C-alpha cells in the first residue's frame, strides 16, 4: 500500500473526488443526517475545482492510500491501483497572543469499507502525526460528528480526548 500526497493535478483530483470523496460523503450522509450530499452531473467538476486550488499549500495535505501501485513515482492519475482511503489535514497555527500549541487539524479521514479493520486508518493517522512533527505541531486535532459513533470509538481507541463541544443553532431560530 502506498500513501501518496495529492497535489493540484486536476486529473488526479477528479479521480480522488470520484473514487473517495463522493463515497466518503455518501457514507457520512447515511450516518449523520445533516451531511447529505447534493449531487448532480456537475458534482465531480465542481468539487474538483474547489479542492484543486488549495492542495499546493505548504500547510495543507491530502494523502491517498493506493493499493496495487508499484511505481512510487508514477502520476497518481495514471496508477491502476485501488484508491483505498484518504486523510485531509492542515496546520493550524496558534495566534501569537495565546499560549496554545500549533496543531495539525485532521479535516477528513476515510477508509473504504473493504479496507476497514486492516490498519489503514492507523497508517493514515501515523502519516499525519509524522507531518505534524515535521511542521512543528505538538498535537493532532479533529472534529467528529456526535452521531458518528464508529468514528468516535476509533478516535478514542487511538488516544484522542474530547477537549470541547461544538454547538450549533440555525440562524432562523434566533
Amino acid at each position: 500500500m502506498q500513501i501518496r500526497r495529492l497535489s493540484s493535478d486536476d486529473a488526479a483530483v477528479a479521480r480522488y473526488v470520484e473514487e473517495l470523496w463522493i463515497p466518503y460523503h455518501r457514507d457520512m450522509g447515511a450516518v449523520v443526517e445533516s451531511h447529505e450530499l447534493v449531487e448532480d452531473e456537475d458534482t465531480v467538476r465542481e468539487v474538483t475545482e474547489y479542492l484543486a486550488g488549495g492542495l499546493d499549500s505548504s500547510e495543507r495535505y491530502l494523502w491517498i492510500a493506493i493499493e496495487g501501485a508499484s511505481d512510487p513515482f508514477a502520476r497518481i492519475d495514471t496508477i491502476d491501483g485501488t484508491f483505498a482511503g484518504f486523510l485531509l489535514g492542515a496546520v493550524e497555527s496558534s495566534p501569537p497572543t495565546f499560549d496554545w500549541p500549533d496543531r495539525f487539524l485532521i479535516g477528513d479521514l476515510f477508509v473504504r469499507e473493504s479496507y476497514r479493520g486492516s490498519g489503514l486508518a492507523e497508517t493514515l493517522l501515523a502519516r499525519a502525526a509524522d507531518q505534524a512533527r515535521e511542521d512543528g505541531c505538538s498535537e493532532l486535532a479533529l472534529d467528529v460528528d456526535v452521531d458518528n459513533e464508529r468514528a468516535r470509538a476509533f478516535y478514542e481507541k487511538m488516544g484522542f480526548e474530547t477537549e470541547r463541544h461544538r454547538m450549533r443553532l440555525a440562524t432562523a431560530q434566533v
Side-chain angles (χ1 to χ4, degrees), residues 22-172:
I22 289 175
Y24 163 67
H25 288 284
R26 283 183 183 144
D27 280 5
M28 284 298 296
V31 174
V32 179
E33 186 176 311
S34 63
H35 204 91
E36 281 292 316
L37 248 188
V38 176
E39 292 186 66
D40 60 30
E41 66 274 357
D42 294 328
T43 299
V44 172
R45 181 188 54 77
E46 290 169 353
V47 173
T48 298
E49 289 173 2
Y50 172 78
L51 291 174
L55 290 178
D56 288 331
S57 165
S58 63
E59 295 186 335
R60 189 165 185 208
Y61 302 90
L62 175 57
W63 291 288
I64 310 280
I66 308 169
E67 182 167 54
S70 57
D71 181 354
F73 302 106
R75 290 172 34 108
I76 293 174
D77 59 310
T78 65
I79 294 174
D80 288 336
T82 301
F83 280 23
F86 75 93
L87 186 142
L88 175 66
V91 173
E92 183 181 67
S93 299
S94 170
T97 55
F98 292 101
D99 187 22
W100 298 341
D102 289 348
R103 296 180 174 114
F104 190 90
L105 183 61
I106 297 168
D108 295 316
L109 171 62
F110 173 71
V111 174
R112 285 182 180 270
E113 189 168 350
S114 59
Y115 292 92
R116 293 179 188 161
S118 70
L120 179 54
E122 291 90 340
T123 299
L124 288 165
L125 278 177
R127 181 65 191 98
D130 289 344
Q131 189 65 55
R133 285 187 288 276
E134 288 176 34
D135 287 340
C137 299
S138 59
E139 294 182 350
L140 294 178
L142 55 85
D143 288 334
V144 61
D145 287 291
V146 68
D147 294 334
N148 195 344
E149 294 176 15
R150 180 183 175 114
R152 286 185 17 238
F154 169 74
Y155 293 129
E156 288 171 1
K157 181 184 98 175
M158 296 302 299
F160 284 82
E161 298 175 355
T162 301
E163 180 179 78
R164 66 181 82 171
H165 294 276
R166 177 179 284 178
M167 301 172 77
R168 63 185 172 97
L169 174 67
T171 57

